Amino acid sequence: MSPSRASRRYFDPRFEATIITVAPGEHEITAAKDEIVATVLGSCVSVCMRDPQLGIGGLNHFLLPRSNGNHDAGAGERYGDTAMEVLINDLLKRGAKRNHFEAKVFGGARVLSGATMLAIGDNNVAFVTEFLNREGIPVVSKDVGGNRSRRIHYQPSTGRAWVQHVQPTARDSDQEQEIAYLNRLKTQPVAGEVEIFS
């Protein structure tokens, strides 16, 4: 396990599980019964996908729907089209069966100001809805849209998901991180059931 991965794992007594945090443009897969993958979303979208028969699954976190032909090695999972393929392929490599897949979809809020920014969440939701429909992967639950950020916790072994809606503030750190991430993308070349908790 790399040091960066190790630094993103911690034990949470509320869940009695190890939490693995997923940053924008990344994904994580696990089959361990005592592991939960987690992320924080604004206009980004996460798809939680699993093979319920094997209890293996994962979560991705993408910022924009399509790469539009950008195939830089580092561009990867920040785009929905790539993030979805990587998640599916990694699940298949771990033994999951495509015809068993089920998905839960989260995010796509309107948390950023400006007409272009407002459309990002809507575009992400539209993209992933169309993608999953085209691939024949059923969406068993979703919590998308709105104007609040979300904290997502997903336990692939059981398929259980927890969503916490975060009250918007004038300048919350999640929104600032998302704006900074969007700005980096523009300027840097890149080498079942849902439980609401508070």
Side-chain angles (χ1 to χ4, degrees), residues 96-119:
K97 302 290 185 229
R98 191 181 190 98
N99 61 329
H100 297 165
F101 286 167
E102 64 180 30
K104 296 184 177 188
V105 180
F106 303 102
R110 292 181 169 215
V111 296
L112 305 174
S113 60
T116 303
M117 295 297 199
L118 285 174

Side-chain angles (χ1 to χ4, degrees), residues 8-21:
R8 295 184 4 219
R9 300 171 78 94
Y10 64 93
F11 182 78
D12 188 329
R14 293 176 304 165
F15 295 98
E16 296 184 359
T18 297
I19 307 298
I20 307 168
T21 59

Side-chain angles (χ1 to χ4, degrees), residues 49-69:
M49 189 178 297
R50 76 182 193 124
D51 177 335
Q53 294 187 18
L54 292 180
I56 185 170
L59 171 152
N60 63 18
H61 182 153
F62 64 87
L63 183 66
L64 300 168
R66 291 180 178 81
S67 61
N68 295 324

Side-chain angles (χ1 to χ4, degrees), residues 144 147 161:
V144 297
N147 62 359

Side-chain angles (χ1 to χ4, degrees), residues 65-66 116 118-128:
R66 291 180 178 81
T116 303
L118 285 174
I120 291 174
D122 295 340
N123 291 342
N124 283 335
V125 171
F127 160 77
V128 80

Side-chain angles (χ1 to χ4, degrees), residues 32-146:
K33 292 181 178 16
D34 62 347
E35 289 185 341
I36 291 173
V37 288
T39 198
V40 177
L41 303 166
S43 61
C44 297
V45 162
S46 282
V47 174
C48 302
M49 189 178 297
R50 76 182 193 124
D51 177 335
Q53 294 187 18
L54 292 180
I56 185 170
L59 171 152
N60 63 18
H61 182 153
F62 64 87
L63 183 66
L64 300 168
R66 291 180 178 81
S67 61
N68 295 324
N70 181 355
H71 297 294
D72 290 342
E77 295 178 61
R78 67 184 184 184
Y79 297 111
D81 53 2
T82 305
M84 292 306 300
E85 293 297 336
V86 169
L87 181 62
I88 288 169
N89 289 337
D90 278 2
L91 285 168
L92 294 172
K93 287 177 191 171
R94 300 274 300 266
K97 302 290 185 229
R98 191 181 190 98
N99 61 329
H100 297 165
F101 286 167
E102 64 180 30
K104 296 184 177 188
V105 180
F106 303 102
R110 292 181 169 215
V111 296
L112 305 174
S113 60
T116 303
M117 295 297 199
L118 285 174
I120 291 174
D122 295 340
N123 291 342
N124 283 335
V125 171
F127 160 77
V128 80
T129 300
E130 188 273 331
F131 179 95
L132 292 168
N133 185 50
R134 185 180 69 239
E135 296 295 320
I137 299 170
V139 176
V140 295
S141 65
K142 65 182 177 179
D143 183 43
V144 297

